[in-house]
Amino acid sequence: MYLVSIYFDEKTTSRIQGYITQVAKRSGNPFMIEKNVPPHLTISAFETRSEDQVISLFEETRDMFQSGEIIWCSVGAFFPNVLYLSPVLNTYLQELSEKVYKELLRIADARVHKCYRPMQWVPHATIGKKLSKEEMLAAFQVLQEQFGVFSSRVVRIGLAKTNPYEELWNLEL
């Protein structure tokens, strides 16, 4: 599996990392910390055997990627075990999703995961993963006490491979 993800300004990264740390501490579930998952928002998830072709494609089209602003407005869950922050789906995020999807269609064997296609995608930043029912309740309590609406700037985009995680390409915006 490959991921295209965006990363945030220093202040936002610190804030989201703080939520991740507090959720791990209060819930007793250190998954996000142990796996060293950085604060990010995944734009696309896909399978391919043409890794070099994807890297070349993103390098060729690097000018299409721009920095943008995101407003974080809500907390959500993918049941039964994921807690996340949710941004407003604005023009910037929607257009970025569509651009990445369109470019991936140029790779003959690329198969975009059905939950990461335009208009079928839930933008989110994971705060806790593999949480039990009790851990999920503790995690929600942390965010109920600490979360407030905030804005952030996207400053980097990257391509990574999972299992094990390996960053393959990135671009400062």
Side-chain angles (χ1 to χ4, degrees), residues 12-81:
T12 300
T13 298
S14 178
R15 183 175 187 157
I16 294 174
Q17 186 62 55
Y19 294 145
I20 291 169
T21 301
Q22 288 302 311
V23 162
K25 186 182 292 183
R26 182 94 55 96
S27 71
N29 181 322
F31 179 85
M32 295 288 287
I33 306 256
E34 286 178 352
K35 297 295 182 183
N36 204 26
V37 180
H40 71 282
L41 188 154
T42 299
I43 299 295
S44 186
F46 62 97
E47 298 283 350
T48 186
R49 288 185 304 273
S50 306
E51 182 178 297
D52 291 339
Q53 202 175 355
V54 174
I55 294 168
S56 294
L57 176 69
F58 283 132
E59 191 57 39
E60 289 168 20
T61 59
R62 65 189 298 133
D63 291 343
M64 79 174 181
F65 299 115
Q66 309 272 326
S67 181
E69 189 168 314
I70 298 174
I71 298 173
W72 299 92
C73 62
S74 187
V75 174
F78 294 129
F79 287 111
N81 56 17

Side-chain angles (χ1 to χ4, degrees), residues 132-155:
S132 69
K133 182 178 178 179
E134 293 77 21
E135 293 167 346
M136 189 75 111
L137 291 171
F140 264 112
Q141 187 175 23
V142 168
L143 293 178
Q144 187 175 33
E145 293 166 0
Q146 297 181 16
F147 179 79
V149 174
F150 66 101
S151 63
S152 66
R153 179 144 291 292
V154 174
V155 298

